[in-house]
Amino acid sequence: MCGIIGYVGERPVSDVLLKGLKRLEYRGYDSSGVAMFHGGKIEVHKAAGKITEIEPLLADRKQKGLEGGIGHTRWATHGAPNTKNAHPHKVGDIVLVHNGIIENYREIQKLVHSKGLTPKSETDSELFAFLVHFEMTEEKCSFVEAVRKSFLKITGASSVVAMHEQHPGLIVGVRNGSPLVAAWNPELGAMLASDAQPLLDYANTVHYLENGDMIVCERNKIEFIDAHSGLKISRPGVKIDWSADRLDKNGYPHYMLKEIHEQSRTILDTLNANFAASGAHLPFDFAPHPGIDNLSRTDRLSIVACGTSWHASLLGKYWLEKFAGLSVEAELASEFRYRSPVLKKNQVLMGVSQSGETADTLAVIQDVNKREIPTMCITNVKGSTIARESKSALYTYAGPEIGVASTKAFTGQMLMLLLLAGKLGRDVAVNDSTGKAMGEIERTYRELFEVPHHLSNALMEGSPTAKAVKAAALATQNSKGFFFIGRGYSFPIALEGALKLKEIAYVHAEGYAAGELKHGPIAMLEPDFTVIVLAPHDMWYEKTVSNLQEVKARGARIIAIGHADDKQIPQMCDHFIPMPIKTKKDDGTPTMSEALNPFLLAPILQLFSYEIATMKGTDVDQPRNLAKSVTVE
Ligand code: F6R
């Protein structure tokens, strides 16, 4: 969850570390720190709070980074988020930053105490520095060897990056579980970080460390070592196709708002990338892909994911069942991994993960790999651990998502699952003598290319949709609580809408299948309560309207989202948010397949949460207690 960075090279070390830490801040942001050489000694600067807190401490430290420096932005696991527990930690000559959890920390703590020593912090991380210190002082190991031997003594998923006061110009990293990525180029020198984003400012080819790898970084080279054998290994470079300019806000006040608006483009990017690769002779064509081949051969798929990615997976279930007749379960990875799931040999297991690093999703994939069931994943990050551990990977083209609350990555996941459903469904429908199923698939495919246009119309400042979102947010911002309800494709979107509001506005919100309301939650309704009803004109419309009436009868405030030409719902609710499409085109044909409604509803709800959060003045991009990449259980 934490972000770690190390640099040795020509550029001013404090600039590189601070810029890199800002890129990594989405991973955790309760405290931060850097360590760098100054006057032949390693100085450590740290502070509780965000990176901006340590910036002034480095104002007069602008020397070249030839002696190296390391930095850290923290998401607390062991010990409160304060300056004492902030990284880097220094023990003797050793300074280090750590990401992950050392599970056998008690054992190491006892060892440290038995030698009459007391750690300065409450962290498990500092204990690793003691281990290295003991290896060097008692076993007379070299620094690199001491890091290696210490690493073999810890358990749990961790990455560590360390420096030594007597070895300027040398940075050592080790990885087990928590990601670590390196880059080197002649002008830059060597750099390593928890993910590729800070490296993109300097290089577009990066090297991912595998579990059990060590890296030794110097100004003129990087070397990889197998931590178990101590032997040199090679880790080939991976070209990253994101450019650093996609990491900036481009004039938007928040990354989240920028990313909400980017969705029209990212949907098109994902469509184009897939169909360009395939040549798109038929609707929903994909380039040959081993994962899709496996799906074509099975009638059963288990999807595992967490949080927002689970909501996308749930929606995938609806599409894959309907279009492709596939039996699909969409499960929370954290539950799935500790159950006794019954998996069939000929089925497929898919992980869905924006970051490609989520611990629970990764663990399921690793377990299922051992059972010889084909695994695959949908992820946004090439080279991520989940992408590499899965037997095959499909990528979304959302680009880097910096706002901690997921927006464009979510629509990217939805799209990829719909594309899969369309492709598998088409292959079945081609043999359907009625041609009915094929007709629906062809229509959905055609209309899919119109979604980015509708979405831009919805989100554009001053559009009827955007204005209605703002007005509804203004009127309901102080509600006692929010329910989001929907049926069919709108149910996972209701769950996601509620999660977004909780995450960024810290407001109590729950998502329900609209039919579930009367089975308990309806007791909560009173005039101070707001219910957001997702009511597009789809096959569930009449039933949703009945649920809306039940809510109205209990006096709760109602925001309804529906087609722009809906005559019924605007009369029944307090605030109506029109989707930028009508139920029918002027020639009487339906405007948009109902399977595509989530692509408009989800961004509208993202915008709603954003409006409420900004009205409340919360930290939209880095909400409290959260981190983007959840690499611990
Ligand atoms: C919410 C959000 C999280 C993630 C979840 C899984 O906005 O982003 O709920 O969806 O932590 O993360 P990934 O998709 O990286 O596996």
Side-chain angles (χ1 to χ4, degrees), residues 1-196:
M1 318 267 281
C2 308
I4 58 187
I5 188 156
Y7 174 63
V8 49
E10 301 295 331
R11 310 250 171 130
V13 64
S14 59
D15 287 359
V16 174
L17 296 181
L18 288 173
K19 188 169 180 188
L21 285 177
K22 283 185 186 159
R23 298 270 192 234
L24 291 169
E25 202 168 22
Y26 72 92
R27 300 179 70 91
Y29 33 82
D30 56 42
S31 52
S32 58
V34 302
M36 50 190 272
F37 278 88
H38 188 71
K41 294 255 168 250
I42 295 181
E43 284 183 346
V44 178
H45 303 274
K46 37 193 203 175
K50 296 196 172 190
I51 313 293
T52 44
E53 302 297 320
I54 51 166
E55 258 174 323
L57 309 176
L58 300 172
D60 59 350
R61 295 285 184 271
K62 292 285 179 200
Q63 73 267 27
K64 284 184 179 181
L66 293 173
E67 295 170 307
I70 57 180
H72 189 267
T73 178
R74 180 167 187 247
W75 190 86
T77 53
H78 281 66
N82 53 30
T83 309
K84 183 178 68 175
N85 292 331
H87 301 214
H89 295 287
K90 187 161 190 282
V91 173
D93 285 339
I94 292 115
V95 185
L96 59 75
V97 290
H98 169 229
N99 176 20
I101 293 181
I102 298 177
E103 287 175 356
N104 57 336
Y105 73 96
R106 283 182 207 283
E107 215 177 281
I108 309 170
Q109 210 167 38
K110 267 195 210 145
L111 178 75
V112 171
H113 288 149
S114 73
K115 293 176 190 283
L117 299 169
T118 314
K120 291 190 213 78
S121 74
E122 300 150 297
T123 65
D124 51 347
S125 317
E126 187 185 352
L127 299 171
F128 189 87
F130 276 99
L131 284 183
V132 181
H133 177 68
F134 298 151
E135 291 293 344
M136 291 189 76
T137 52
E138 295 169 14
E139 304 298 325
K140 308 296 174 211
C141 290
S142 69
F143 172 48
V144 175
E145 186 61 2
V147 173
R148 187 179 81 82
K149 287 176 87 180
S150 306
F151 181 60
L152 298 179
K153 291 185 175 160
I154 59 167
T155 59
S158 280
S159 283
V160 176
V161 170
M163 294 195 310
H164 191 281
E165 209 153 47
Q166 308 309 321
H167 297 280
L170 179 68
I171 298 178
V172 180
V174 271
R175 178 205 171 161
N176 181 35
S178 303
L180 210 50
V181 194
W184 180 83
N185 76 33
E187 282 92 50
L188 159 80
M191 194 170 184
L192 72 170
S194 309
D195 66 43

Side-chain angles (χ1 to χ4, degrees), residues 186 260 330 551 611:
I260 291 173
V551 172
E611 295 289 4

